Amino acid sequence: KSQTEGLINAHQETTLNFKKVISRIEKVILTLNPRLDKKYVKRLSIFTAINSRKHELDPRLLIAIMNTESSFNQKAVSATNDISIAQINLKVWTPQFFKEKTGLPLDVSRLKNDESYAISRMCLILKYYKTKFPNDKEWFARYHSSTPKHKNLYRYKLVKSAKKIRHYGKNLLKEMPPLSDIKQAIHDERNLASLTK
């Protein structure tokens, strides 16, 4: 019995910690775009937390990029046919690139309709730049363009967003539970929701 209680308590603590992180990420998103629907923000916060932990990228960076690229609009399509909340250019980021990273080609339909998938593909691109340009302190600005003129303008926009959310602290990623615990917390939450219907 005590072992079972200990397991339940551990799950409850993980769920509580996860909720705290999600709450902070929600506040970060709403600081940049307070008009967003609260339910949508919660979904984005969960997707951001999962991908941030999986790829070891600061969630504030992911949020700043989504804000700069699309104002958190999953349906956004640019004049150059960049699509999704992450504004991924299909001519630059070919299905082959993603196949090399994940074993599967890019699913364009899913990219257009699934925020979590779009954020995960964005993370793969960011990790590519971070690895390829280890001496570039502003490697993340290459997400938009590697051309100095466009890169510097993009960096300016990102920094502008970053200043607004800086007070949420650098420890947001460190305070996040391990990925396995996050998935367990989501699983527990879904089970609890189904039991209380």
Side-chain angles (χ1 to χ4, degrees), residues 53-76:
R53 171 50 76 209
K54 181 177 180 180
H55 299 283
E56 293 297 308
L57 293 166
D58 190 325
R60 295 170 307 162
L61 172 63
L62 306 187
I63 291 164
I65 287 174
M66 288 187 281
N67 179 59
T68 304
E69 289 288 343
S70 66
S71 296
F72 304 102
N73 180 8
Q74 173 62 18
K75 300 299 181 185

Side-chain angles (χ1 to χ4, degrees), residues 61 65 69 87 92-93 122 125-126 128-148 150-155 158:
L61 172 63
I65 287 174
E69 289 288 343
Q87 288 292 277
V92 176
W93 304 106
M122 175 178 73
I125 294 169
L126 284 169
Y128 165 78
Y129 279 129
K130 189 176 183 180
T131 304
K132 187 171 182 180
F133 301 98
N135 298 321
D136 184 355
K137 291 181 180 178
E138 295 168 349
W139 56 268
F140 50 82
R142 293 175 181 269
Y143 182 83
H144 183 74
S145 176
S146 287
T147 306
H150 297 296
K151 179 188 167 190
N152 291 335
L153 177 61
Y154 188 68
R155 177 195 163 279
L158 284 181

Side-chain angles (χ1 to χ4, degrees), residues 188-197:
D188 291 347
E189 284 286 287
R190 285 174 180 164
N191 283 347
L192 183 61
S194 64
L195 288 171
T196 53
K197 279 183 180 178

Side-chain angles (χ1 to χ4, degrees), residues 40 72-76 84-85 110-115 118:
Y40 180 61
F72 304 102
N73 180 8
Q74 173 62 18
K75 300 299 181 185
S84 85
I85 195 170
R110 192 174 173 195
L111 179 66
K112 290 178 179 178
N113 297 294
D114 183 344
E115 294 93 345

Side-chain angles (χ1 to χ4, degrees), residues 85-192:
I85 195 170
Q87 288 292 277
I88 293 173
N89 187 302
L90 302 181
K91 288 183 180 178
V92 176
W93 304 106
T94 62
Q96 188 59 33
F97 169 81
F98 293 103
K99 189 170 184 179
E100 288 172 5
K101 300 295 176 186
T102 67
L104 295 170
L106 183 68
D107 185 331
V108 177
S109 176
R110 192 174 173 195
L111 179 66
K112 290 178 179 178
N113 297 294
D114 183 344
E115 294 93 345
S116 181
Y117 183 76
I119 294 169
S120 71
R121 302 308 95 167
M122 175 178 73
C123 288
L124 290 173
I125 294 169
L126 284 169
K127 284 192 77 174
Y128 165 78
Y129 279 129
K130 189 176 183 180
T131 304
K132 187 171 182 180
F133 301 98
N135 298 321
D136 184 355
K137 291 181 180 178
E138 295 168 349
W139 56 268
F140 50 82
R142 293 175 181 269
Y143 182 83
H144 183 74
S145 176
S146 287
T147 306
K149 177 185 173 183
H150 297 296
K151 179 188 167 190
N152 291 335
L153 177 61
Y154 188 68
R155 177 195 163 279
Y156 169 77
K157 290 179 181 178
L158 284 181
V159 168
K160 192 175 177 182
S161 290
K163 282 181 179 177
K164 293 180 182 177
I165 59 178
R166 183 178 291 157
H167 62 280
Y168 287 97
K170 295 180 180 178
N171 294 325
L172 196 54
L173 178 59
K174 289 180 182 177
E175 291 171 9
M176 230 178 273
L179 184 62
S180 58
D181 288 355
I182 289 175
K183 289 181 177 177
Q184 183 63 52
I186 294 170
H187 177 74
D188 291 347
E189 284 286 287
R190 285 174 180 164
N191 283 347
L192 183 61

